[in-house]
Amino acid sequence: MNITVENKKWLEDFNLSHPLVIAGPCSAETEEQVLKIAHELKNSDVSIFRAGIWKPRTRPGGFEGVGAIGLKWLQKAKAETGLLMATEVANATHVKLALEHDIDVLWIGARTTVNPFAVQEIADALAGTDKIVLVKNPVNPDLALWIGGVERLFNAGITKLGVIHRGFSTYEKSKYRNIPEWQIAIELQSRFPDLPLICDPSHITGQRDMIQEVSQQALDLNYDGLIIESHYDPDHAWSDAAQQVTPTVLKQIFEDLKVKKITTEDDAFNAKMIKLRAKIDIADATLLETLGKRMKISEQIGALKKEKNIAVLQNKRWNEILGKMILDGEEKGLSEEFILRLFKAIHQESISHQEKVINK
Ligand code: PEP
Ligand code: MN
């Protein structure tokens, strides 16, 4: 299946000299709140105003959104500020109401993308519209499911498509609310280069003081846009209070962000890059060589264990290796998180090499 979004055409039609920015509160709370934030965001880099009307909450009892009445507030905000309006839709009724209120951008939330029935229902309800539709990644790190969501919309004839990377949930706590797993979004970007890719640093980080850093990372990776939650009184927001920033802070974030160009004509720069890339290629080749050698040693260990009927997995030894590597890694400026991931992967590969020998 080929998703062909004509050269990011809908995005180019915005004619921006910077990445696309969608901003606004996590949830629409009152008419005054919607209008006040929209006015504070107009005349900035923001092109599209976001506000959730129907809020999927993990546990019942929280604020579940103001419902359809909020669509009227968005219409009013659009009339007063000229900003385009965006909201989340999770079923055919939401789509019908959003279309009736002429909402410009509809996004499918992370908890909906996981459900092909729901996405198909939304795609069917959207068939024939020329609205911009953005698909958030599913909560679980499943690229096929994310692509599948986009395909369902594409098959329904929706051409103004894009994706939002909002990170993935994990059982173990990390410094992120939803870990980015950048490689998944990058894989999507390289498979579908014409599909605009937007980063949602608010839901990735879950905390406002990390928004700048993650937004910059996204821009460094050539993302096409950002969707950032903004509220004039973040601490008293009815949902996602910890991650929202005031419109003033948001404007400062835009000032501080550095937009990178993909290429340059500067010959000296290009010559230096070629040299550095050659060095990286050599370092990568050495890494692979070393890993290959390490696996051969694992196979010899496997053969020895087989002779003596010893178990493959030796937890004590493994924990010792890991502890040492974390310390050594730290000295080389490598984070504990990276060392853990790297060595878990190496260990896994090592075990399968040993098992191959043992079960021969
Ligand atoms: C949101 O954008 O407010 C939201 C609910 O996001 P997600 O679907 O990424 O959790
Ligand atoms: Mn939110």
Side-chain angles (χ1 to χ4, degrees):
M1 157 92 228
N2 237 341
I3 304 165
T4 44
V5 184
E6 203 191 316
N7 275 332
K8 305 191 177 180
K9 179 148 181 1
W10 68 261
L11 184 62
E12 277 165 15
D13 287 347
F14 277 89
N15 252 321
L16 301 170
S17 57
H18 54 77
L20 177 74
V21 184
I22 306 172
C26 176
S27 303
E29 298 167 1
T30 63
E31 181 173 335
E32 294 67 38
Q33 175 246 19
V34 166
L35 293 176
K36 184 167 159 61
I37 300 172
H39 277 282
E40 289 182 24
L41 291 174
K42 75 170 186 219
N43 302 327
S44 71
D45 285 353
V46 177
S47 304
I48 304 173
F49 181 84
R50 64 148 286 158
I53 300 293
W54 300 284
K55 301 302 299 177
R57 307 313 298 271
T58 305
R59 308 270 309 268
F63 171 58
E64 301 207 316
V66 292
I69 180 81
L71 296 168
K72 298 241 180 317
W73 307 341
L74 294 186
Q75 276 187 307
K76 197 162 174 192
K78 179 175 175 172
E80 289 187 13
T81 64
L83 291 167
L84 296 187
M85 294 292 134
T87 201
E88 173 174 348
V89 289
N91 59 39
T93 310
H94 295 167
V95 171
K96 186 169 167 286
L97 286 165
L99 294 180
E100 279 170 13
H101 290 80
D102 206 23
I103 299 299
D104 308 282
V105 179
L106 296 92
W107 84 78
I108 297 183
R111 293 164 193 75
T112 306
T113 310
V114 288
N115 180 353
F117 289 133
V119 178
Q120 191 59 52
E121 178 184 317
I122 293 168
D124 293 343
L126 278 167
T129 69
D130 64 348
K131 300 292 182 188
I132 297 167
V133 184
L134 306 173
V135 184
K136 284 202 172 196
N137 66 255
V139 282
N140 55 324
D142 186 339
L143 178 57
L145 199 53
W146 196 2
I147 294 176
V150 180
E151 284 171 339
R152 285 177 198 279
L153 294 161
F154 181 76
N155 290 346
I158 292 145
T159 52
K160 295 183 182 169
L161 282 169
V163 289
I164 300 174
H165 174 212
R166 52 77 81 195
F168 302 89
S169 64
T170 49
Y171 179 62
E172 281 169 33
K173 289 253 164 297
S174 80
K175 69 171 178 170
Y176 299 101
R177 178 177 176 195
N178 294 290
I179 53 165
E181 304 276 17
W182 295 103
Q183 73 285 3
I184 297 180
I186 289 163
E187 166 91 31
L188 184 66
Q189 187 186 42
S190 61
R191 282 211 229 163
F192 304 101
D194 288 331
L195 194 61
L197 171 61
I198 294 166
C199 181
D200 178 344
S202 308
H203 291 90
I204 287 180
T205 63
Q207 45 177 322
R208 65 181 70 103
D209 59 2
M210 284 173 73
I211 302 281
Q212 165 91 36
E213 173 193 330
V214 169
S215 300
Q216 186 63 60
Q217 273 178 290
L219 298 192
D220 293 349
L221 292 166
N222 285 325
Y223 277 53
D224 299 290
L226 298 167
I227 176 166
I228 302 180
E229 289 187 341
S230 180
H231 193 296
Y232 58 80
D233 185 7
D235 283 333
H236 295 103
W238 296 4
S239 58
D240 287 351
Q243 71 196 29
Q244 304 206 52
V245 292
T246 61
T248 311
V249 168
L250 188 64
K251 287 176 202 167
Q252 189 58 49
I253 290 177
F254 298 152
E255 293 255 307
D256 296 342
L257 283 175
K258 293 176 195 64
V259 180
K260 306 278 161 58
K261 291 179 281 188
I262 298 182
T263 52
T264 162
E265 305 277 284
D266 183 334
D267 290 343
F269 167 87
N270 286 331
K272 274 189 202 152
M273 279 301 277
I274 288 173
K275 274 194 195 141
L276 286 173
R277 288 195 167 136
K279 277 191 186 170
I280 289 269
D281 289 347
I282 294 169
D284 285 347
T286 315
L287 266 175
L288 279 187
E289 179 92 355
T290 308
L291 285 171
K293 278 188 196 150
R294 192 192 188 284
M295 294 309 153
K296 289 271 171 297
I297 301 174
S298 292
E299 286 168 15
Q300 290 171 5
I301 290 181
L304 259 183
K305 283 180 181 166
K306 184 178 185 178
E307 253 178 61
K308 295 287 174 213
N309 204 20
I310 300 281
V312 167
L313 189 59
Q314 301 281 330
N315 265 325
K316 185 162 168 286
R317 157 94 181 131
W318 168 237
N319 286 331
E320 280 167 12
I321 297 186
L322 209 51
K324 182 170 171 351
M325 288 305 145
I326 289 171
L327 288 178
D328 290 358
E330 211 170 69
E331 265 178 30
K332 296 184 168 55
L334 305 171
S335 71
E336 174 169 346
E337 194 192 343
F338 172 67
I339 296 288
L340 281 172
R341 274 171 185 256
L342 175 69
F343 277 89
K344 269 186 193 162
I346 292 178
H347 189 224
Q348 206 56 50
E349 182 71 12
S350 187
I351 287 178
S352 60
H353 276 257
Q354 291 192 31
E355 277 172 344
K356 214 168 57 196
V357 174
I358 290 176
N359 299 324
K360 207 155 53 183

